[in-house]
Amino acid sequence: MDERYPIGKFQHEEEITQDVIAGWIQDIANLPGEVRKAVSELHEDQLETPYRSGGWTARQVMHHLADSHLNAFVRFKLALTEDKPVIKPYDEASWAELADYTMPVEISLQLLEALHARWVVLLRSLSDTELQRTFIHPDSGVITVWQNIGVYAWHGRL
């Protein structure tokens, strides 16, 4: 097992149906509350503890979730409004070393709550045609909107 992915990497080999996509969207809708619950009883020492040797602290993971999901939201909007946009990746590890990653996790919890409220409304409005729209990730290639919904449902698993 790759310790960077304790739940494994995203995989979905079953048929992609509207019910599967609706379930993924519900997972995205539920994430802010689940994350808030998971960190609610952590004290400062626990927030500063890496989840694995050489890994990020719980605080860094929380701030990463906000950054990653904010980037994802923008990528969805680009895919829905432009023809096969090439998105810009970012250096997650370097972002995790910036000063804002030392802030209280409450800041990122509030960001996730507001962001996911908007994101879920957008995702639930998508037509079959919009679900097939794509963006191009320089490292991963062509990604459909529906695939990216699955990726971010997976990304938020605790």
Side-chain angles (χ1 to χ4, degrees):
M1 178 184 83
D2 186 335
E3 288 183 339
R4 294 173 301 165
Y5 306 101
I7 63 168
K9 289 190 176 188
F10 172 72
Q11 294 180 28
H12 189 83
E13 297 175 13
E14 300 170 23
E15 180 183 358
I16 304 301
T17 65
Q18 287 295 333
D19 287 342
V20 168
I21 293 169
W24 287 340
I25 294 170
Q26 189 59 49
D27 290 344
I28 291 169
N30 294 342
L31 178 71
E34 291 174 1
V35 170
R36 181 174 287 284
K37 183 179 175 184
V39 301
S40 67
E41 296 183 23
L42 296 180
H43 52 73
E44 286 300 309
D45 288 346
Q46 290 171 309
L47 288 171
E48 292 304 322
T49 302
Y51 73 95
R52 66 172 171 83
S53 178
W56 287 344
T57 65
R59 183 182 314 278
Q60 286 172 307
V61 170
M62 283 300 310
H63 293 309
H64 165 72
L65 271 175
D67 283 345
S68 177
H69 290 208
L70 186 58
N71 273 281
F73 180 68
V74 170
R75 292 170 182 178
F76 276 93
K77 292 190 104 170
L78 290 169
L80 294 168
T81 60
E82 298 179 17
D83 187 31
K84 297 179 183 169
V86 177
I87 59 95
K88 180 166 184 347
Y90 65 102
D91 183 346
E92 297 169 351
S94 293
W95 283 36
E97 297 300 323
L98 295 173
D100 62 319
Y101 272 55
T102 65
M103 295 179 69
V105 296
E106 180 62 27
I107 300 297
S108 284
L109 286 169
Q110 291 175 10
L111 177 57
L112 277 172
E113 288 166 347
L115 174 64
H116 279 236
R118 287 190 58 190
W119 197 5
V120 168
V121 167
L122 176 67
L123 295 177
R124 287 184 173 148
S125 76
L126 299 179
S127 68
D128 289 340
T129 301
E130 289 169 319
L131 289 167
Q132 297 300 322
R133 292 190 60 90
T134 61
F135 65 83
I136 300 167
H137 189 291
D139 299 326
S140 304
V142 176
I143 309 287
T144 62
V145 167
W146 71 260
Q147 286 172 311
N148 217 34
I149 295 170
V151 166
Y152 278 88
W154 165 87
H155 189 259
R157 289 188 184 155
L158 303 176

